[in-house]
């Protein structure tokens, strides 16, 4: 933990963190996310001793509710499969629990708790009335037929529905959960409850209650955040070489917006390797492969002979000025950060949740790279989910232009809050400190106002 200069505060933080480790054994990702926030907020405690009195830190480190359930389903061969489902309803001081569902074999309680913890502060930064939550299952959608995906979603929702509601808990997508899965989940919720409750899920299809810009929002938002960080330094994205890891929704639309803002994204990846296209990633080809055909990134080089595919390897070896990790947690380590710094990176923007390891973050901060942490930089997705909830509540639907404009304003607002908070608390230019403190203050003020809950 970073020393604050006040031994009493330092000791208290160490104690809280030790208790978190003790109470949550075997959850390294959760410990990592908590450690990062606790390391930033020492100065807040010195300024606001009442937060310690109310035991806000201790309360914030404990999720309000953790739900774990069995998800039984039958595959196409008639074989019975069992998965484990989760929903961590992390904090509802600012609004109903809000956050995505992740379907991936790596999902476990540690991952869902770290994501729910991060989500709470991220959602606070959007200034929208949403609490934090996250869920998912250790289900691997890869290679599964459409009918299997549907049966899995139906079984998952058959348990989860009782915990949801537009004023209670509003899931959305994340890795492995897109519009198709939200459709099956929503259909099952509607069937069980006999309610067309549009506001219970976001990321819905445009023709049945979804919002324009939601599919693009996380990636667009990350690109907007990169632009804001560069502008704050009197620089811009214009002509900058960008490397974006991943090739899902977040990566694809980060690339699209980076291109529109003047950058040139030359590389992206999936779990098998990465492609480099020096002329700039061709978005139409990428969308056809990944969105339409649900294929692999290696297929890209068959259609674009100018590009090369590197099997395995590390995408961060590709020299660039802007790096956007948009794949998954801890995908960019200290060694990769050192390579990026050596190659002259000027901005790093986290499109995924916690993709940079603590070592990597430390290295970027030490070398004065503009570093946008996920809870600020990728908040555009959930913010647009909140805009979807607004549209559902008023039975309205907004144009693409208007919604995108709202998204851009929200991202500019988040950037400003992080920038100013970092300055106020003595760490100018440090968006990690800015995001953690600004998010924490908003959540803790609401928690204090609502009494001991
Ligand atoms: N899964 C996304 C995130 O990490 C979006 C959540 C939402 O839209 O509720 O923020």
């Amino acid at each position: 933990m970073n020393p604050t200069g006040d031994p009493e505060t330092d000791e208290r933080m160490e104690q809280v963190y030790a208790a978190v480790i003790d109470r949550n054994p075997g959850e390294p990702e959760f410990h990592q996310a908590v450690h990062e926030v606790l390391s930033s907020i020492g100065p807040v405690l010195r300024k606001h001793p009442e937060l310690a009195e109310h035991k806000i830190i201790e309360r914030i480190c404990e999720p309000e509710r953790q739900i774990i359930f069995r998800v039984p389903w039958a595959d196409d061969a008639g074989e019975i499969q069992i998965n484990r489902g989760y929903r961590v309803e992390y904090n509802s001081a600012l609004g109903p629990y809000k956050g995505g569902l992740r379907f991936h074999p790596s999902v476990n309680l540690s991952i869902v708790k770290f994501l729910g913890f991060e989500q709470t502060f991220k959602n606070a930064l959007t200034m929208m009335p949403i609490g934090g939550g996250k869920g998912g299952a250790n289900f691997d959608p890869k290679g599964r037929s459409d009918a299997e995906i549907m049966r899995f979603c139906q079984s998952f929702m058959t348990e989860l529905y009782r915990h949801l509601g537009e004023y209670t808990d509003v899931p959305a997508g994340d890795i492995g959960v897109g519009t198709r899965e939200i459709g099956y989940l929503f259909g099952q919720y509607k069937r069980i409850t006999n309610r067309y409750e549009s506001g219970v899920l976001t990321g819905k299809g445009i023709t049945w209650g979804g919002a324009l810009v939601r599919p693009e929002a996380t990636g667009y938002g990350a690109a907007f955040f990169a632009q804001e960080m560069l502008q704050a330094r009197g620089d811009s994205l214009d002509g900058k070489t960008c490397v974006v890891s991943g090739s899902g929704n977040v990566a694809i639309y980060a690339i699209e917006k980076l291109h529109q803002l003047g950058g040139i994204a030359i590389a992206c990846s999936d779990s098998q390797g990465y492609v480099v296209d020096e002329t700039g990633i061709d978005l139409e080809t990428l969308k056809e492969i990944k969105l339409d055909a649900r294929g692999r990134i290696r297929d890209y080089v068959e259609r674009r002979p100018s590009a090369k595919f590197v099997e395995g390897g590390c995408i961060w070896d590709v020299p660039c000025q802007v790096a956007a990790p948009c794949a998954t947690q801890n995908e960019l380590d200290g060694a990769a950060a050192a390579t990026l710094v050596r190659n002259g990176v000027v901005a790093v923007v986290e499109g995924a949740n916690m993709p940079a390891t603590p070592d990597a973050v430390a290295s970027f901060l030490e070398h004065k790279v503009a570093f946008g942490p996920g809870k600020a930089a990728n908040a555009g997705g959930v913010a647009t989910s909140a805009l979807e909830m607004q549209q559902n509540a008023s039975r309205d639907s907004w144009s693409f232009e208007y919604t995108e404009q709202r998204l851009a304003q929200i991202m500019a607002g988040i950037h400003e809050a992080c920038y100013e908070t970092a300055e106020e608390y003595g760490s100018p230019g440090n968006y990690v400190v800015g995001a953690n403190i600004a998010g924490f203050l908003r959540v803790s003020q609401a928690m204090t106002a609502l009494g001991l809950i």
Side-chain angles (χ1 to χ4, degrees), residues 98-101 119 122-123 134 170-174 202 214 218 353 378-379 381-383 385:
K98 182 85 198 84
L101 298 171
Q119 196 83 43
K122 182 200 306 194
N123 294 3
K134 203 84 184 195
V170 183
D174 196 81
T202 61
R214 179 63 192 87
T218 310
N353 292 310
N378 73 37
V382 76
S385 276

Side-chain angles (χ1 to χ4, degrees), residues 277-290:
D277 189 342
E278 299 288 353
T279 55
I281 295 286
D282 183 65
L283 265 168
E284 218 165 294
T285 308
L286 183 64
K287 284 182 186 174
E288 272 168 30
I289 294 168
K290 297 301 291 190

